[in-house]
Amino acid sequence: MKGQLPILARALALVFRRQTDVPPDGAAIHYSRGIRPLFWVMLAVNPVDIVLVEVVVKSVPVRIALLVLEILGALAFLALVATLYKYPHAVGRDGLRVRYLSFFDHRIPLAGIDSVRQASRSLKERGGVSVPEDGVLAVGISQSTNISVTLCEPRLIDLGRKGTVEITQLDFWADDPRAAVAAIRDRLPEAAADPLAAAPATPPVPVRTSRPAGGSRR
């Protein structure tokens, strides 16, 4: 949690500055539209807990301590909600940055991307970052991803308590997958953006014409 505090505080600061954490030359790729209502409902329930503490707990010192903790918890959760809006995926000259709230943040250089495409995939886990299967790391929303990024070579990613893993593909969710794929491809090197352009042209095969049998010679 200690490492989360600066990230959450910065998200709140971005709210007050009316900014989004996207590079000036980059494009935001939002991913949280489907889960925002749930987070707002959870945040709205928090005042109920504060009222219950005020009514049920009789000891004034304990009540004050619990109220302070409830208020700090509500502020932290509000910052978490802010990350849904202020920390989108992003793509710019420095690479493709894939995030999940304040819990996952990884940037892949554009030169390390082999291809990107729309590809729907259902996940076993409900959301967040899953442990890679066959080298595929999934950053899903509601047990789904809809964009697949194939890497040029295996890449190590630190997943914190889950350890360091090696991946060859990164799948994630985007609210508008078509626009996201277009934004990423626009910034890729030409060969990666258009795999067909990278393929060497096949040389023409010479064709031998045979003289028909029984033909006359001159």
Side-chain angles (χ1 to χ4, degrees):
M1 182 64 184
K2 186 177 180 181
Q4 298 288 314
L5 292 179
I7 301 173
L8 295 173
R10 186 165 180 268
L12 286 178
L14 289 171
V15 171
F16 289 112
R17 294 202 299 261
R18 296 183 179 181
Q19 296 176 347
T20 303
D21 193 20
V22 177
D25 66 312
I29 302 174
H30 290 280
Y31 64 87
S32 61
R33 185 170 57 203
I35 60 174
R36 289 173 187 173
L38 175 62
F39 275 75
W40 281 113
V41 169
M42 295 171 65
L43 182 63
V45 171
N46 192 266
V48 177
D49 294 336
I50 295 176
V51 172
L52 287 176
V53 168
E54 186 69 22
V55 172
V56 174
V57 180
K58 302 302 180 182
S59 173
V60 174
V62 175
R63 189 167 63 203
I64 292 174
L66 290 176
L67 286 174
V68 170
L69 290 176
E70 288 287 346
I71 292 171
L72 291 176
L75 188 61
F77 197 83
L78 179 62
L80 191 66
V81 173
T83 65
L84 297 175
Y85 296 84
K86 300 303 178 180
Y87 290 158
H89 306 314
V91 60
R93 286 182 300 179
D94 56 349
L96 171 64
R97 191 174 187 178
V98 177
R99 288 165 151 168
Y100 181 75
L101 287 85
S102 59
F103 307 119
F104 180 79
D105 186 352
H106 188 77
R107 182 183 285 109
I108 299 175
L110 296 179
I113 297 176
D114 180 67
S115 64
V116 57
R117 60 189 176 89
Q118 285 185 240
S120 297
R121 178 186 176 196
S122 297
L123 307 175
K124 297 178 181 178
E125 300 182 18
R126 289 194 172 187
V129 183
S130 65
V131 177
E133 296 182 2
D134 299 328
V136 180
L137 178 66
V139 183
I141 296 293
S142 300
Q143 293 181 274
S144 299
T145 62
N146 56 10
I147 292 182
S148 182
V149 176
T150 304
L151 308 181
C152 295
E153 57 186 18
R155 183 177 184 86
L156 294 176
I157 293 186
D158 184 7
L159 297 182
R161 293 181 179 179
K162 297 179 180 179
T164 301
V165 297
E166 184 178 86
I167 68 168
T168 56
Q169 181 176 312
L170 176 60
D171 293 351
F172 62 93
W173 177 269
D175 292 337
D176 187 346
R178 181 177 298 179
V181 169
I184 297 170
R185 285 179 175 172
D186 284 346
R187 290 164 174 80
L188 290 180
E190 184 177 351
D194 183 6
L196 294 178
T202 303
V205 178
V207 178
R208 292 185 178 182
T209 58
S210 58
R211 184 173 293 139
S216 61
R217 291 185 180 181
R218 294 185 179 179

